[in-house]
Amino acid sequence: MTEIKQILIDREVPCTVRDGVTLYANVYRPSEAGKYPILLSRLPYNKNLPDFSHRYIDPIKLAMEGYAVIIQDVRGRFASEGEFEPFAQEGKDGFDTVEWAARLPYSNGKVGMFGLSYYAFTQLYAMMERPPSLKAIFPAMTGNIFKEAFGKNGVMELAAAETWVLDSIAPDYLKRKQGSEYAETIKEIKSDLNKIEQWHTYTPFKEWPPVMKHPELREIYSTYIKQEFNKKALSNASYKDLGVIDLPAYHLAGWYDNFLGQTLLNYEQMSESNTNQKLIIGPWGHGMFHSELGERSFGIDSAGTSIDGKDDITSLHIQWFNHWLKEDKESPANSEDPVKIFVMGTNEWRSEKEWPLKRTENTPYYFHSDGRSNIDLSSGSLTTVPPEDERHDQYTHDPENPVPTNGGGVLFYNGRGAGPYDQKEIEKRDDVLVYTTEPLVMPLEVTGWIKVVLWASTDAKDTDFTAKLVDVFPDGRAYNLTDGIIRAKYRYDKEVQPGLTGEVVKYEIDLWATSNVFLPGHSIRIEIASSDFPRYDVNPNTGKTTADTVDMVKATQKIYHQREYPSHVLLPIVPN
């Protein structure tokens, strides 16, 4: 192939879709005449801002490798015409854009798509429409289009949803609606973003002032927090999951990404109909690919710029699309194992044949104590021995004083607070129970899906239970690995269950996944509580939610671990 020495940048290239709306893109392409495969990314965050148009991928490098790279503002955003409806518009617009790109004079007719977060969602929605020219995709850190975008087991990811609307959506949305009045509006938005942590405490959040003070935002915010855009996007679909789609896809995930579980689900579902799936999982947060995250460093070669010391994220894209769009049989994408994971603790990359790993041994670690209100941390133990008859543990969940979020797969303003943080201060609270193993003598690897099976009762009509997996260092530092939450009213499925009346209920809390070696001298710990705020909306314990009410009551929570109710965490242990 001819070596590419120069590229052209075409700005504001129009694409008119089926209903007459014109969408605009920037195109990076080789200056040499010829036919090139297309790499397309569609985003709502402004194609002209390098933080978003380039972010973790270098379009110039892609063009130098012989691709025409198209970065497009989606409908109703920035330069593109039309009305913005998150998610609902991306299927048909995606189909039309793919086929338009395939017909461009410098296109060879083959199109790949790439992008992170919302602009990975645009890949999935376009893919479901089956455009014939779309040959491969590379969705990074994205949700499953059949799941709530900012929800988990019926619980609203409050800070993420509020931040996304106010920071990512509101400025351009209001600028298009208000015209000359926007100058004052943007001052208000900036002021509210400067104090967004305080605004997260406002209830009822369906009347959130930073949004409701702008009449033009009210409908889109209300529709969004009810998840109605997702439902509209899928209203005419006959499929139930991604397993019906036969398209090669390279899925990129992070152990501390807010979409980790859904990205893994995308990989698993799409593998059902197409074995040409790849997966990489790094020790990363949402859109954050440095070697340091939160309060931990994972080594230079953990970063997205030096993956295992030999690749970066852009080079992974080039290898993937070279294979599928240029039929390069020598590409590493053709020969490497389909899964690459970063194992924390030992801080090393490892290739695998599948996800989840078939060789894991799902091992229950049971909760034990002598009955307490979490006064003595050492009294809660975690062992592989099933419990006998033991007293329950008890704490009070006060929704007016919730357990504060401290790290994890969060999506807060400017990426604040994501990743691993020391949990010692959180664990001193009297509304957090901890169960800890003895210090390990040998290293123990946990890689895969994590689940806590919890038997609990409450004197509330409805309540939440949270669980967190923690790596306790010999010096007492306690770093979170993964976590989960369940709302009692959704304890069995999405259908609302009857109110609680004090009965003992079995809950299965999905903690998503991790890969970590607990080193000698370290301990495994599980935290149990009933809030994680403002990551999730706090449960007022009344049967309602803080979307609708300001009324809150305390709840007495009892955690059981005995022969009849053997509460435990199920850990996927990788044998030595």
Side-chain angles (χ1 to χ4, degrees):
M1 181 177 175
T2 303
E3 181 183 0
I4 306 300
K5 295 182 178 180
Q6 291 184 325
I7 67 167
L8 300 175
I9 301 176
D10 303 321
R11 292 174 55 84
E12 308 303 342
V13 178
C15 163
T16 301
V17 296
R18 68 188 70 179
D19 63 353
V21 169
T22 300
L23 312 179
Y24 289 91
N26 292 340
V27 180
Y28 304 77
R29 60 187 176 91
S31 61
E32 290 83 354
K35 302 284 188 178
Y36 301 97
I38 302 290
L39 295 183
L40 169 66
S41 190
R42 307 184 61 251
L43 69 158
Y45 304 131
N46 194 349
K47 66 184 182 307
N48 294 322
L49 287 180
D51 280 353
F52 294 107
S53 66
H54 292 51
R55 194 145 191 180
Y56 66 110
I57 296 296
D58 182 356
I60 295 175
K61 185 176 180 180
L62 294 176
M64 296 292 287
E65 291 290 331
Y67 290 94
V69 183
I70 300 176
I71 303 178
Q72 183 189 72
D73 291 328
V74 300
R75 177 186 294 250
R77 299 294 288 171
F78 296 93
S80 290
E81 298 174 353
E83 187 75 16
F84 180 60
E85 290 188 278
F87 311 114
Q89 61 201 20
E90 307 306 351
K92 292 181 174 60
D93 283 355
F95 180 101
D96 291 353
T97 302
V98 167
E99 294 308 307
W100 161 80
R103 297 190 301 267
L104 289 168
Y106 42 79
S107 170
N108 71 355
K110 295 181 179 180
V111 180
M113 293 186 73
F114 69 96
L116 178 147
S117 195
Y118 190 99
Y119 31 134
F121 271 112
T122 60
Q123 298 173 62
L124 300 181
Y125 281 112
M127 175 189 72
M128 298 306 283
E129 296 292 322
R130 296 176 172 84
S133 301
L134 184 60
K135 304 303 180 184
I137 61 174
F138 204 125
M141 295 182 171
T142 195
N144 181 287
I145 61 177
F146 302 95
K147 300 289 185 181
E148 301 166 283
F150 291 124
K152 194 172 185 181
N153 301 328
V155 186
M156 173 68 73
E157 290 192 65
L158 182 70
E162 291 179 342
T163 301
W164 188 72
V165 171
L166 188 63
D167 178 41
S168 299
I169 300 306
D172 180 65
Y173 192 85
L174 291 173
K175 184 177 182 180
R176 298 166 71 99
K177 298 281 187 182
Q178 294 181 348
S180 60
E181 298 176 11
Y182 177 70
E184 291 303 313
T185 296
I186 191 60
K187 293 178 182 178
E188 291 186 324
I189 291 174
K190 290 178 178 178
S191 175
D192 287 331
L193 285 172
N194 281 331
K195 52 187 178 184
I196 195 167
E197 286 86 359
Q198 297 98 295
W199 276 126
H200 288 324
T201 65
Y202 184 89
T203 57
F205 67 79
K206 73 175 183 180
E207 298 174 5
W208 200 47
V211 163
M212 303 310 288
K213 68 175 64 172
H214 310 293
E216 301 89 345
L217 276 179
R218 293 172 186 171
E219 183 176 356
I220 193 171
Y221 176 72
S222 176
T223 304
Y224 182 74
I225 63 173
K226 295 175 184 176
Q227 307 290 335
E228 291 177 358
F229 287 122
N230 310 56
K231 297 172 186 175
K232 182 176 180 180
L234 299 171
S235 60
N236 297 320
S238 59
Y239 40 77
K240 295 183 179 179
D241 59 49
L242 299 179
V244 301
I245 299 299
D246 183 15
L247 190 74
Y250 199 141
H251 307 262
L252 184 150
W255 293 126
Y256 292 97
D257 178 43
N258 63 299
F259 286 128
L260 169 64
Q262 295 187 35
T263 302
L264 298 179
L265 182 60
N266 289 343
Y267 173 80
E268 293 179 16
Q269 289 182 336
M270 291 185 67
S271 296
E272 295 174 12
S273 58
N274 188 300
T275 57
N276 297 311
Q277 305 292 305
K278 287 180 74 72
L279 172 68
I280 184 170
I281 317 171
W284 305 319
H286 193 70
M288 294 180 279
F289 299 99
H290 301 297
S291 60
E292 297 182 3
L293 185 67
E295 295 178 341
R296 295 191 65 183
S297 173
F298 296 102
I300 292 172
D301 288 343
S302 68
T305 54
S306 179
I307 298 171
D308 211 9
K310 58 185 178 183
D311 285 312
D312 58 49
I313 294 176
T314 298
S315 70
L316 293 182
H317 282 69
I318 292 169
Q319 294 166 19
W320 179 247
F321 289 120
N322 279 355
H323 178 64
W324 292 107
L325 304 186
K326 295 184 179 181
E327 299 182 2
D328 178 6
K329 302 305 179 184
E330 301 302 317
S331 169
N334 187 45
S335 58
E336 292 180 345
D337 287 334
V339 176
K340 191 178 187 72
I341 61 174
F342 187 86
V343 183
M344 297 178 288
T346 54
N347 291 347
E348 59 186 7
W349 289 98
R350 192 172 70 215
S351 295
E352 294 288 350
K353 300 292 186 184
E354 75 280 316
W355 175 273
L357 280 56
K358 293 180 181 178
R359 67 183 183 278
T360 55
E361 299 173 354
N362 288 318
T363 305
Y365 276 68
Y366 297 96
F367 301 176
H368 298 275
S369 79
D370 56 2
R372 67 210 157 94
S373 296
N374 202 34
I375 297 173
D376 180 5
L377 294 180
S378 65
S379 65
S381 62
L382 196 63
T383 77
T384 56
V385 179
E388 295 296 326
D389 289 332
E390 301 176 5
R391 289 183 57 196
H392 66 264
D393 297 322
Q394 181 173 309
Y395 63 92
T396 299
H397 165 40
D398 181 358
E400 294 186 348
N401 181 27
V403 178
T405 300
N406 188 33
V410 300
L411 187 58
F412 290 177
Y413 181 55
N414 279 344
R416 297 171 183 167
Y421 284 83
D422 191 351
Q423 306 297 307
K424 286 200 305 292
E425 293 305 311
I426 295 291
E427 292 168 351
K428 292 178 181 178
R429 291 176 59 107
D430 59 11
D431 54 355
V432 179
L433 304 178
V434 298
Y435 302 90
T436 312
T437 66
E438 292 294 322
L440 300 176
V441 176
M442 300 292 291
L444 185 146
E445 180 182 334
V446 172
T447 296
W449 294 99
I450 315 291
K451 180 171 68 173
V452 164
V453 181
L454 188 74
W455 275 267
S457 67
T458 180
D459 60 358
K461 294 180 181 178
D462 182 38
T463 197
D464 292 347
F465 291 101
T466 67
K468 187 183 300 177
L469 177 65
V470 177
D471 184 349
V472 184
F473 282 49
D475 61 6
R477 287 175 295 156
Y479 291 114
N480 52 299
L481 293 168
T482 190
D483 53 68
I485 189 169
I486 194 166
R487 182 150 289 174
K489 69 170 65 173
Y490 300 113
R491 56 192 176 273
Y492 300 129
D493 51 41
K494 289 186 177 181
E495 298 298 322
V496 176
Q497 302 300 308
L500 300 169
T501 57
E503 67 272 33
V504 179
V505 174
K506 179 183 178 182
Y507 299 95
E508 294 190 358
I509 308 177
D510 181 4
L511 274 63
W512 284 359
T514 195
S515 181
N516 185 73
V517 174
F518 294 86
L519 298 171
H522 290 228
S523 299
I524 304 168
R525 176 172 291 167
I526 292 292
E527 295 178 12
I528 300 295
S530 287
S531 48
D532 182 354
F533 182 81
R535 181 179 183 183
Y536 300 109
D537 66 298
V538 67
N539 197 317
N541 300 321
T542 61
K544 297 182 178 181
T545 74
T546 52
D548 305 303
T549 185
V550 298
D551 297 325
M552 303 183 187
V553 298
K554 295 180 181 180
T556 300
Q557 319 288 59
K558 297 179 180 179
I559 306 302
Y560 298 85
H561 38 83
Q562 56 199 64
R563 198 173 297 152
E564 185 180 2
Y565 306 126
S567 294
H568 62 273
V569 59
L570 201 61
L571 296 179
I573 306 270
V574 178
N576 293 330

